[in-house]
Amino acid sequence: MKLEPIITSLLEQDMYKYSMGQAIYHQFPSYKTTWTFKCRNKDVHFTPEMLEEIKEQIKYFCTLSYTEDELEYLDNIKWIKGSYIDFLRIWKPRFEDFEITDDAPCGLSIETRGTWLNTSMYEIPTLAIVNEVYFKMAYDYNELFESFKERLDEKYDMLLKNTWYAGVFSEFGLRRRLSSEAQELAVEKLSHLNDTLHSGSTFIGTSNVYLAKKFGLTPVGTMAHEWIMCVGQGNHKHNPAYSNWYALEAWVKEYGVLNGIALTDTITTDCFLRDFQLTYGTLFSGVRHDSGDPIEWGEKMIAHYESIGIDPKTKTLLFSDSLNFKKADEIFRHFNGRAKVAFGIGTYIANDTKVPALNIVMKTTFCNGQDVAKISDVAGKGMCKNEAYVDYLNRCINWRLEHE
């Protein structure tokens, strides 16, 4: 490696990977998945030197194991069970599950194949490695880091002066951070908001479990699109238009009323609401927005809660789609007093510099040998290798919306 190791602890992972990982371990240990990397930036190219560095960094990541101190921290999270801790005690990443080549327009192709238990845990560290390698090898990193610090200071001052009200918010930037030191600096600085009575915004935690442990913050995260896609579409006997029902049912089986923020947009929010009726609406503490107009979505969710006899003031609307503090302020002012409002803010906190952030993703493309897809509430956020399957999934969803 030319750079220092980027991932130095297996706790450098988003919390929802543990939330999903435990449920996968208990209910779907035999499921197998394929994950595919994609760079959405048209003007970005990874050089052979970057590719080699990424490969070496991932090899290093695959040498790591959990320490007893890290496992004890996870064990103290109230919904994590001892059986899953025992599994993590012997778990290690497998470099053999990775295929890393230059066979892509951007010069970097990454696919992982193996059990869902394994491949799910590769997504976030891989993206963090790709980001840091790119920005350290394509730019003068010290200049980028200086511009990052200046912008972070400006954000902090605006929050401190109540120019923006971000309500309750957490940091979600691990996958697209500029670097590990940048994310750590941001999390540490924002945690000081809670030391003053002057700020109207409350910083409650981070999705990065390592940093949550280090700074005594809440590790934040429940489910991602992969959960609904694999649980709902990975079983060949399932009608994929009912993916949300299968996924919510399995989640409740694992957690009951704990750990309950449901993601709405995997196969469109309209289809989600067909399954999110009184039982699930009661058991889940709230819902997460990740695509489409946030105001329209929030109004739709409030109306839905009211239609099934639930007071929306008792539920959380968590917004997490490409947010900055200005957008969060607008959303907070619109819904404040009508529901509990919270925000998960990622790239804007962890990678705001004088150059544009990378728009990179790593998505599940197959489960148990079958195509899986995310439809989302807007075009362009899905990623499937088989357009015929996307067409089939859309027809299933449309039939259900028109006939139920």
Side-chain angles (χ1 to χ4, degrees), residues 245-299:
W245 185 88
Y246 290 111
L248 295 174
E249 186 74 4
W251 198 264
V252 169
K253 179 181 178 182
E254 187 70 31
Y255 293 113
V257 297
L258 297 175
N259 206 15
I261 296 288
L263 182 58
T264 71
D265 72 330
T266 306
I267 55 170
T268 75
T269 295
D270 287 339
C271 197
F272 169 86
L273 294 180
R274 289 290 198 274
D275 294 312
F276 198 67
Q277 296 301 316
L278 182 58
T279 298
Y280 293 137
T282 301
L283 291 173
F284 283 84
S285 57
V287 285
R288 177 159 76 93
H289 169 267
D290 199 52
S291 65
D293 184 276
I295 301 299
E296 289 180 13
W297 176 87
E299 292 292 348

Side-chain angles (χ1 to χ4, degrees), residues 34 50 91 133 188 198 213 230 273 296 309 326 340 370:
T34 297
M50 291 176 188
W91 183 81
V133 168
E188 181 179 20
H198 299 297
K213 177 180 183 294
C230 293
L273 294 180
E296 289 180 13
K326 184 176 184 296
K340 298 175 184 178
Q370 177 168 293

Side-chain angles (χ1 to χ4, degrees), residues 165-307:
Y165 286 89
V168 174
F169 74 97
S170 51
E171 187 273 334
F172 276 19
L174 173 53
R175 73 185 61 208
R176 292 180 183 167
R177 67 188 185 186
L178 173 66
S179 63
S180 55
E181 69 171 336
Q183 187 185 21
E184 182 166 333
L185 178 65
V187 168
E188 181 179 20
K189 189 171 188 68
L190 290 171
S191 68
H192 294 311
L193 276 178
N194 305 331
D195 299 336
T196 175
L197 298 177
H198 299 297
S199 176
S201 305
T202 303
F203 179 63
I204 61 162
T206 172
S207 64
N208 184 329
V209 182
Y210 174 82
L211 293 180
K213 177 180 183 294
K214 183 168 184 175
F215 294 110
L217 297 164
T218 301
V220 180
T222 52
M223 68 177 71
H225 296 100
E226 67 175 279
W227 176 254
I228 297 99
M229 290 163 66
C230 293
V231 173
Q233 301 169 40
N235 186 324
H236 300 192
K237 297 178 181 178
H238 289 174
N239 180 333
Y242 293 82
S243 294
N244 288 301
W245 185 88
Y246 290 111
L248 295 174
E249 186 74 4
W251 198 264
V252 169
K253 179 181 178 182
E254 187 70 31
Y255 293 113
V257 297
L258 297 175
N259 206 15
I261 296 288
L263 182 58
T264 71
D265 72 330
T266 306
I267 55 170
T268 75
T269 295
D270 287 339
C271 197
F272 169 86
L273 294 180
R274 289 290 198 274
D275 294 312
F276 198 67
Q277 296 301 316
L278 182 58
T279 298
Y280 293 137
T282 301
L283 291 173
F284 283 84
S285 57
V287 285
R288 177 159 76 93
H289 169 267
D290 199 52
S291 65
D293 184 276
I295 301 299
E296 289 180 13
W297 176 87
E299 292 292 348
K300 182 180 291 187
M301 291 309 309
I302 286 174
H304 181 74
Y305 275 125
E306 291 173 342
S307 74

